Amino acid sequence: MELNILTLCYLIASVTFILGLKMLSNPASARKGNLVAAAGMTIAIIGTIFLYESDGQKLHNYGWIFGGLLIGGIVGTLAAKKVKMTAMPEMVSLFNGMGGACAALISAAEFYHIYKLHQDSPGTPFSDIVSVGTYVTIAAGAIIGTISYTGSIIAWGKLNGRVKDFSFKGQHIVNMIVLVLVIIAAVWVYRSNIGDMYIPFLLIGFFALIYGILFVLPIGGADMPVVISLLNSFTGVAAACGGFLYDNKAMLTGGILVGAAGTLLTILMCKAMNRSLTNVLIGSFGAGNKAAGAVAGKSSQGNYKEISLADAAMLMAYANKVMVVPGYGLAVAQAQHTCHELEKILEEKGVEFKYAIHPVAGRMPGHMNVLLAEADVPYEKLLEMEQANDEFKTCDVVLVLGANDVVNPAAKNDPASPIYGMPILEVEQAKTVIVNKRSMKPGYAGIENDLFFQPKTSMLFGDAKKVLQDLCAEVKAV
Amino acid sequence: MESILNWISDNQQIIYIVILMIFVGIEVIGRVPSVLHTPLMSGANAIHGVVIIGAIIVMGKAEADNYLALVLGFLAVILGTLNVVGGFVVTDRMLEMFKKKKPPSPKGV
């Protein structure tokens, strides 16, 4: 009876995961979808704790289980509540890493369990005890989970600036070698006797740790969202391995669902940047190009002109239509509220005010939407790329706030540019372009932006928030 | 060869689930607007936290004198809970901001 109820719990959980994901992909139902999935998860967890039986035995160690749940729950809630909107991507990466580590630990524990059971006969070949299929799942859970763990930690470090891009010649070959070593160690375990298999098992973990680090290190910081999404689907697969191990359908469906959806999401993200996944992973965007781009940029550097705050305010106050292109600069400066204020002031003066959102502006797809929504900017004012590109022609002033690569005309004109082919916001179609940046330093892709040197463009240097505050004051005074 | 075939037929149920779930996963988010990429990724991140179930099972099965298993299981439970709870809360916070609001300015309509 109890086991049947548990089966029902898992069934409900699986359905809520599918429903939740479905609802999450529609703006109107997204929030409810998240709650639906969370409810399903709660049912599955509670069901497991109280109803799970293996070989007719209930689970024990309730103190440990609830202790762990309590610690994880409190720390997780606090971290998730405290994190700033700008640091969300890092947080997701960190949580993803935790999931990966959890999957790896489960595999390790299961492995140790097998070892314990057969400790007394150390001469037995491991392959006599465990079938290939089961072993592959244990090993895959350990390997994928570990890679996801270290990879996510590195991605987290890159996003918050603790880890710098790092690559060396022949890195891809080294990566391949490490991956082969992981597989060799895995095969070695299976061919060992029970008594001496833990050394190769530790080697699996060790090489997988290294691989996770090497895999993410050379990829440019701007591509981290794609990498996080990919690691996210990795963790999904690792969770599914656990589901296979325990013949647990909720883990299996949840894991595979995320594995598949995550992979598709990764591809969609790449598409938004008009790049292929291989291109991102091989890292042609990496440090090597950064240097080359900077050098090439120097030679073409012309003169840029600066605009004073008063002039900029004047231009905008007398414009019919102003569009803002927000970027990472807006996010770091936490300037979304001030930006909304400027919007209100200008609208009182009869200026049409809109936002042009590049799908990959900021550090994550949708990053800008989240930020602006936080500042209560209504939906209708946020234009997606195609729409925005149609409207730039009728626009008097475009204010670029800390965005760079997403408005770089090199993506259209210069086949040699590393971002060539990425769809951009064609701001140069507007009558005037005002670019707010902190300095003339190149953006995340590390390449110069010709836009800044065009006659239409004027630069307005300074921190986005400070500049916007001053602009608000100036516009009010006009 | 035969062992592989046996393994497939022994586990055919699971293999069916895996294959069908792959299609469901792709189908379900196939038409997500780019606005929702980040929250969707975060939501999916929380869902794979279902790995916590495995952690609970490991923890609950460990014998009281098997310290290594206890420690491994305990760590796994903490990490898994972090993933689940943190994941759902962060997603909710992101989505809270997408709440439909009445446009404040009369010009908007």
Side-chain angles (χ1 to χ4, degrees):
Chain A
M1 176 66 187
E2 285 191 344
L3 271 185
N4 293 341
I5 296 177
L6 183 60
T7 310
L8 185 66
C9 288
Y10 288 154
L11 188 64
I12 294 173
S14 303
V15 174
T16 58
F17 294 161
I18 299 172
L19 269 181
L21 267 192
K22 174 92 196 154
M23 290 164 87
L24 266 170
S25 47
N26 183 335
S29 59
R31 196 169 181 209
K32 224 189 267 167
N34 185 49
L35 295 178
V36 166
M41 185 74 76
T42 316
I43 293 174
I45 291 174
I46 294 178
T48 309
I49 296 177
F50 293 109
L51 304 174
Y52 186 87
E53 270 176 31
S54 105
D55 307 326
Q57 265 210 311
K58 288 248 161 167
L59 294 178
H60 41 273
N61 299 324
Y62 279 130
W64 290 81
I65 293 177
F66 285 114
L69 286 175
L70 204 63
I71 296 176
I74 292 175
V75 175
T77 314
L78 283 182
K81 289 254 179 209
K82 285 255 155 76
V83 63
K84 284 204 200 92
M85 261 304 148
T86 34
M88 284 292 186
E90 283 124 274
M91 208 66 226
V92 174
S93 180
L94 201 58
F95 287 141
N96 180 48
M98 300 298 121
C102 179
L105 287 178
I106 291 173
S107 280
E110 200 53 32
F111 194 79
Y112 182 64
H113 181 67
I114 295 172
Y115 170 75
K116 258 300 214 213
L117 278 182
H118 301 273
Q119 216 173 8
D120 305 332
S121 48
T124 331
F126 185 53
S127 51
D128 282 3
I129 300 166
V130 180
S131 75
V132 190
T134 310
Y135 174 65
V136 168
T137 356
I138 300 182
I143 295 169
I144 301 172
T146 312
I147 292 176
S148 180
Y149 169 63
T150 44
S152 299
I153 299 296
I154 297 290
W156 169 75
K158 278 205 173 190
L159 280 173
N160 65 20
R162 269 170 236 230
V163 179
K164 295 271 162 286
D165 291 354
F166 171 79
S167 64
F168 50 86
K169 237 183 156 159
Q171 178 151 18
H172 299 302
I173 299 166
V174 175
N175 285 8
M176 283 316 282
I177 293 174
V178 176
L179 196 59
V180 169
L181 286 175
V182 172
I183 294 166
I184 290 177
V187 175
W188 182 8
V189 170
Y190 198 63
R191 304 219 150 192
S192 304
N193 295 335
I194 286 289
D196 39 35
M197 63 180 187
Y198 56 90
I199 291 175
F201 189 78
L202 288 179
L203 280 180
I204 297 181
F206 175 72
F207 287 127
L209 278 175
I210 306 269
Y211 183 76
I213 296 172
L214 289 178
F215 171 67
V216 179
L217 261 188
I219 302 173
D223 288 328
M224 274 313 121
V226 177
V227 174
I228 296 174
S229 177
L230 186 69
L231 292 173
N232 191 24
S233 66
F234 277 13
T235 314
V237 175
C241 288
F244 182 82
L245 210 55
Y246 296 115
D247 195 16
N248 185 309
K249 306 293 192 294
M251 279 170 87
L252 194 69
T253 40
I256 294 289
L257 198 62
V258 174
T263 310
L264 178 66
L265 189 58
T266 313
I267 294 169
L268 288 178
M269 284 181 180
C270 289
K271 266 201 193 142
M273 298 193 286
N274 204 15
R275 300 177 50 208
S276 72
L277 184 57
T278 6
N279 184 271
V280 171
L281 295 184
I282 300 293
S284 71
F285 229 4
N289 264 317
K290 202 165 257 186
V295 172
K298 264 198 190 104
S299 56
S300 70
Q301 206 164 45
N303 292 318
Y304 57 86
K305 59 172 189 286
E306 276 191 64
I307 188 170
S308 72
L309 270 166
D311 285 348
M314 194 73 82
L315 266 177
M316 290 166 74
Y318 287 106
N320 283 319
K321 187 168 175 184
V322 173
M323 283 170 82
V324 164
V325 178
Y328 189 63
L330 177 99
V332 239
Q334 289 279 314
Q336 62 273 33
H337 295 282
T338 329
C339 192
H340 183 49
E341 203 175 312
L342 180 68
E343 172 199 326
K344 283 189 282 193
I345 296 172
L346 280 173
E347 280 193 333
E348 273 165 29
K349 290 189 181 288
V351 181
E352 194 183 347
F353 196 96
K354 283 189 173 150
Y355 297 84
I357 312 288
H358 192 280
V360 295
R363 283 294 188 277
M364 280 217 156
H367 198 177
M368 291 301 124
N369 305 71
V370 172
L371 277 183
L372 291 172
E374 188 198 0
D376 286 341
V377 174
Y379 275 149
E380 307 82 67
K381 293 226 163 73
L382 310 182
L383 302 184
E384 293 207 11
M385 188 166 52
E386 288 83 23
Q387 245 179 322
N389 279 340
D390 289 341
E391 289 208 16
F392 280 131
K393 286 177 218 95
T394 60
C395 185
D396 300 300
V397 181
V398 168
L399 178 62
V400 179
L401 286 173
N404 190 343
D405 299 324
V406 296
V407 291
N408 193 339
K412 256 188 359 192
N413 311 328
D414 178 10
S417 170
I419 60 167
Y420 182 68
M422 177 171 96
I424 54 159
L425 288 166
E426 293 156 10
V427 293
E428 69 270 24
Q429 293 182 4
K431 293 207 186 79
T432 350
V433 180
I434 302 174
V435 179
N436 164 243
K437 270 169 75 50
R438 272 175 301 186
S439 68
M440 279 308 281
K441 268 186 18 200
Y444 220 83
I447 39 183
E448 286 295 340
N449 193 335
D450 276 341
L451 177 74
F452 305 156
F453 307 110
Q454 285 177 2
K456 260 186 204 176
T457 313
S458 355
M459 307 298 291
L460 187 57
F461 291 116
D463 172 78
K465 189 167 186 177
K466 179 86 182 43
V467 164
L468 280 172
Q469 279 165 346
D470 295 346
L471 266 181
C472 285
E474 290 283 346
V475 171
K476 264 188 198 150
V478 168
Chain B
M1 187 64 202
E2 205 189 314
S3 69
I4 293 175
L5 283 180
N6 281 341
W7 185 80
I8 291 178
S9 69
D10 285 349
N11 296 292
Q12 49 167 314
Q13 239 194 2
I14 284 181
I15 295 170
Y16 271 98
I17 294 180
V18 168
I19 292 170
L20 291 177
M21 270 304 140
I22 291 175
F23 283 98
V24 171
I26 290 173
E27 205 53 47
V28 136
I29 67 147
R31 289 169 54 187
V32 58
S34 61
V35 187
L36 283 174
H37 279 176
T38 304
L40 179 65
M41 166 154 88
S42 178
N45 174 47
I47 290 177
H48 71 49
V50 70
V51 69
I52 177 77
I53 292 180
I56 293 174
I57 296 176
V58 165
M59 181 80 258
K61 280 203 308 195
E63 300 85 14
D65 58 342
N66 188 346
Y67 294 110
L68 186 57
L70 282 177
V71 171
L72 285 179
F74 188 59
L75 275 179
V77 171
I78 294 180
L79 294 175
T81 320
L82 269 174
N83 187 182
V84 173
V85 177
F88 281 121
V89 175
V90 160
T91 314
D92 191 61
R93 264 192 69 193
M94 282 185 199
L95 291 169
E96 195 181 10
M97 293 159 189
F98 280 88
K99 266 189 305 212
K100 195 79 183 163
K101 290 188 189 81
K102 292 267 166 284
S105 71
K107 270 197 72 179
V109 203

